[in-house]
Every structure is written in structure tokens, then in C-alpha cells.
Amino acid sequence: GEDTLGVAARLYEEHGLPIVGVPKTIDNDLSGTDQTVGFDTALTIATEAIDRLHTTAESHNRVMVLEVMGRHAGWIAVQSGLAGGADVVLIPEFPLTVERCAELIKNRHAGGKDFSIIVVSEGWPLTHEAGVRGLTTIDDKLDAFGHVRLGGVGQQLAEELERQTGFETRVTILGHLQRGGTPTPYDRVLATRYG
């Protein structure tokens, strides 16, 4: 697949159309930008999910794992985790190990907290003290841009945490819910300003 800037350049070269390409990505992973169009909307959805999971986690004394998008950038996980009050955030840039995550949860429970919320970015490599196992992919297929299709690390993490801690653990994978719906006012204004 051709990227946005490539399409803009081709339209100018072939048809003389003065076009500026503005890539849109919820991952917030474009250099030279402070924030990409779509990120705020995805962040809002992920934060609302954390808020909703708090209720169930607290009432059922569970560990809740929320898997969010972001590919190889942890922005959605970090900012939604901060905004939503997550207890642990796992991102590709600083791969905390499963064992350390389990230790943090055990410490919370030992301190009187009967539930925990963990946010994990889909691009977080399932990491162990003995070494990195690697990225969790949906299958061996590539997407339209030639990238591996990430997803499912939240389920693997939940299973391993339950085994290591003994605490009942459930996973929610937000998936494409983060990409759709009505954009936030911030994203609407940002897109308008680009235009």
C-alpha cells in the first residue's frame, strides 16, 4: 500500500495538483508531530474502557487486563493508563517482564487492594526474566501495508498472570472499537486546522 505522502506526491507529479498529505493514525507514532489525527479519539475510548473495568474489577476482586492498539508505540496504553488510573502499563518501548508485573500485582494485594487494572499495548513483546519471547500476532498474514497483524498478547498475559499470582484474571481486547465512532472535538478541530 502507498502511504499518504506518496499519494500526494504522485498526484502532484502526474496531474499538477498541489496536495499536502496528512497521515492519520491512532497510534500517534509519526515523527515531526505532537499528536496525530485520531489519537485523541482512541485515547478517549481506551480511558472510558478502563473507567468501566474499574467497577467490575473492584466488585469481583479480579485482575483486569485491557489490551489496546498502538502497534510499536505505547502512547495509547500510557496515556489511557494514566488517565484511567491503571495499576500497571506495559508498552513496547520499555518491556517490563511478566514476572515483574505479577510482583507488582501481588504487592498491591498484600497492601489490601483486592483488584488491579493492567493496560497492555498490542505491540508489547511478551517478556520474561529469562528473555523476550517476541510479538504476539493474530496469524501469519500481513496487513495492507505489509505489517504483521498484532493482537492477543492480552490473553497470553492474563493466563500467565493468573498462573503466577493465583488471582482471577480476565482480559478485554478493545481492538477496532478504538478506531471507529464519532471523533472527539479535539480530533475534529485538529483535522480542520490541518485543512
Side-chain angles (χ1 to χ4, degrees):
E2 194 173 9
D3 66 14
T4 306
L5 300 176
V7 171
R10 190 166 47 80
L11 287 171
Y12 179 73
E13 290 167 7
E14 293 177 10
H15 304 286
L17 297 172
I19 294 181
V20 175
V22 179
K24 173 205 68 72
T25 170
I26 68 168
D27 302 336
N28 200 36
D29 60 353
L30 297 177
S31 62
T33 63
D34 291 325
Q35 195 160 313
T36 58
V37 177
F39 173 68
D40 189 69
T41 301
L43 175 61
T44 299
I45 292 165
T47 303
E48 286 177 0
I50 295 169
D51 290 345
R52 292 172 189 272
L53 288 173
H54 264 283
T55 310
T56 300
E58 212 166 347
S59 65
H60 288 76
N61 297 336
R62 287 188 179 148
V63 174
M64 302 298 275
V65 174
L66 176 68
E67 180 183 316
V68 298
M69 285 181 156
R71 294 209 56 81
H72 305 290
W75 289 111
I76 295 173
V78 166
Q79 290 197 21
S80 67
L82 283 170
D87 303 300
V88 180
V89 176
L90 302 171
I91 59 173
E93 294 89 341
F94 301 99
L96 203 68
T97 64
V98 175
E99 291 83 0
R100 178 66 179 135
C101 184
E103 182 185 339
L104 291 169
I105 293 166
K106 287 180 192 174
N107 289 345
R108 276 183 52 79
H109 282 246
K113 301 290 184 187
D114 293 329
F115 72 95
S116 295
I117 304 280
I118 299 162
V119 180
V120 58
S121 176
E122 66 181 357
W124 173 74
L126 193 61
T127 307
H128 297 271
E129 295 293 337
V132 176
R133 186 185 291 175
L135 292 175
T136 303
T137 59
I138 296 171
D139 50 37
D140 294 331
K141 296 177 184 171
L142 301 179
D143 67 14
F145 300 100
H147 302 130
V148 295
R149 297 182 344 150
L150 299 174
V153 71
Q155 184 61 48
Q156 291 186 34
L157 174 64
E159 291 168 8
E160 295 208 21
L161 288 176
E162 188 164 310
R163 198 166 32 253
Q164 289 187 29
T165 64
F167 303 134
E168 195 172 353
T169 306
R170 295 290 183 270
V171 64
T172 299
I173 301 174
L174 278 186
H176 287 83
L177 287 174
Q178 294 158 96
R179 300 183 58 85
T182 307
T184 59
Y186 183 91
D187 271 338
R188 296 181 205 189
V189 172
L190 181 61
T192 302
R193 287 169 55 210
Y194 280 144

